[in-house]
Amino acid sequence: MPPRKIIIDTDPGQDDALAILLALASPDDLDLLGIVAVAGNATLPQTQRNIRVICEVANRRDVKCFAGSDKPMSRPLLTAEHVHGATGLDGIDLPEPTMPLQPQHGVDFIIDMLRSHEADTVTLCPLGPLTNIATAMARAPDIIPCIQEIVLMGGAYFEVGNITPAAEFNIYVDPEAADIVFRSGVKLTVVPLDVTHKVLTTKTRIDAFRAFRTHLGDVVVAWLDFFERFDVQKYGSDGGPLHDPCVIAWLLEPHLFSGRFINVEIETQSPLTLGMTVADWWGVTDRTRNAMFLKDIHADGFYALLTDRLSRL
Ligand code: BDR
Ligand code: CA
């Protein structure tokens, strides 16, 4: 099978960084057409810088990097520097990237790539707010049937929320964008907090990256050490949830995951539950099923995959 063509849409973020590294480490499986930055964990100037920092850590200056939307479709931007640090990618001082940012707007890149490929051959992998993807759909609805699948990190059902009691960060930042994507009719696979809160960065798992004794291994350890402190303090857990790499892991080894094909809708009105992913897990409505909503993951299998692949970089 030829490698699956993907576009990563992201707001790095230390966990986004590991997702990008996992994709870069898997060229036999994944053909990374480009990486598009979106505002989310940090502002766009930071996230577009960070995607290039990450590519340079992996010595992949050839990857096409784009800047997309700098704010949600119809709300002010909310960022998460309290989790990810002032740069969005705190943990270690790295040189300013010198590889180019592509001149094309990231949303135009997504539209052009989908139009220039055969239908059903490009998968979108959003790891941040869904602003770029929804903007592309709104501006060029003809691309919607061309998308092979969207595999996204966002939402929660059993875990409910992390940025508010009812909402997960990526969906909460741009609920109108999420609503467009969840109503689009595109094949959707959702990796919610219910999965990502099961893949904790325990000491043993971080030590496996330390054992690489490479620059990349040391950078990964520094990012994870910084990233986990927030959730360890918040949840009293053994490590932080490594959200975004689960999206890439699903593409590589879907047998590690389980879930249900259900109806999922986005709350866009209520001030109390804004951004909630209302997931009909128990099938109590007759609403149309629109998403494969994952719930469980084989955590050790996930870390074995991540460690093995990153050791190849
Ligand atoms: C999501 O929000 C961000 O902080 C992480 O990068 C992840 O994409 C988890 O809620
Ligand atoms: Ca992210």
Side-chain angles (χ1 to χ4, degrees):
M1 274 240 292
R4 180 171 179 153
K5 293 181 192 303
I6 65 167
I7 296 172
I8 294 182
D9 188 275
T10 176
D11 61 339
Q14 296 85 356
D15 60 321
D16 304 70
L18 265 71
I20 292 168
L21 293 180
L22 180 57
L24 291 176
S26 308
D28 293 342
D29 302 289
L30 302 174
D31 177 5
L32 182 56
L33 301 177
I35 305 177
V36 184
V38 67
N41 285 326
T43 60
L44 188 67
Q46 287 294 349
T47 57
Q48 62 83 1
R49 166 195 174 270
N50 293 349
I51 58 176
R52 293 179 296 128
V53 167
I54 296 157
C55 290
E56 292 195 6
V57 165
N59 275 321
R60 288 294 307 275
R61 300 172 50 85
D62 58 301
V63 176
K64 291 199 166 18
C65 294
F66 300 82
S69 310
D70 62 358
K71 57 177 187 310
M73 293 182 91
S74 53
R75 292 174 188 274
L77 176 64
L78 172 79
T79 53
E81 282 94 354
H82 61 293
V83 181
H84 299 273
T87 65
L89 196 59
D90 279 15
I92 185 168
D93 285 335
L94 293 166
E96 279 308 303
T98 56
M99 67 183 281
L101 183 69
Q102 300 296 314
Q104 189 180 26
H105 192 283
V107 171
D108 295 327
F109 166 73
I110 292 169
I111 293 170
D112 284 357
M113 283 314 253
L114 287 164
R115 282 181 176 161
S116 66
H117 281 78
E118 255 178 66
D120 278 342
T121 57
V122 177
T123 294
L124 304 180
C125 302
L127 311 175
L130 290 160
T131 317
N132 288 335
I133 311 295
T135 304
M137 287 178 168
R139 199 182 292 167
D142 60 290
I143 65 169
I144 295 174
C146 301
I147 302 169
Q148 183 178 24
E149 184 175 357
I150 296 177
V151 185
L152 67 92
M153 192 280 132
Y157 176 62
F158 297 91
E159 292 283 322
V160 197
N162 61 357
I163 190 71
T164 74
E168 181 279 331
F169 179 79
N170 290 341
I171 305 295
Y172 181 76
V173 170
D174 199 342
E176 286 75 19
D179 187 46
I180 289 173
V181 170
F182 277 75
R183 287 179 191 278
S184 67
V186 172
K187 182 178 179 193
L188 274 186
T189 298
V190 180
V191 182
L193 296 181
D194 307 307
V195 167
T196 68
H197 280 189
K198 294 178 177 122
V199 286
L200 301 180
T201 55
T202 61
K203 180 173 181 312
T204 315
R205 289 165 176 167
I206 294 184
D207 281 347
F209 299 115
R210 204 184 312 275
F212 292 175
R213 301 198 182 289
T214 60
H215 175 62
L216 183 134
D218 293 345
V219 171
V220 166
V221 170
W223 280 338
L224 293 182
D225 280 345
F226 182 88
F227 174 63
E228 70 168 12
R229 90 213 176 287
F230 178 82
D231 288 299
V232 166
Q233 200 180 0
K234 176 176 171 188
Y235 296 111
S237 53
D238 288 341
L242 202 48
H243 310 282
D244 295 336
C246 294
V247 165
I248 307 300
W250 161 259
L251 298 177
L252 298 173
E253 295 198 3
H255 61 89
L256 294 173
F257 298 79
S258 60
R260 287 185 188 175
F261 185 56
I262 60 170
N263 173 269
V264 182
E265 299 192 10
I266 310 296
E267 175 56 56
T268 59
Q269 302 296 326
S270 157
L272 191 61
T273 58
L274 184 70
M276 187 172 191
T277 42
V278 180
D280 189 7
W281 181 262
W282 301 110
V284 293
T285 73
D286 57 4
R287 293 178 203 141
T288 307
R289 292 184 289 178
N290 60 340
M292 170 54 81
F293 195 84
L294 303 179
K295 176 170 180 282
D296 285 308
I297 181 168
H298 185 307
D300 286 337
F302 165 80
Y303 274 97
L305 171 70
L306 188 62
T307 310
D308 171 58
R309 292 290 167 107
L310 264 53
S311 73
R312 302 178 191 181
L313 285 173

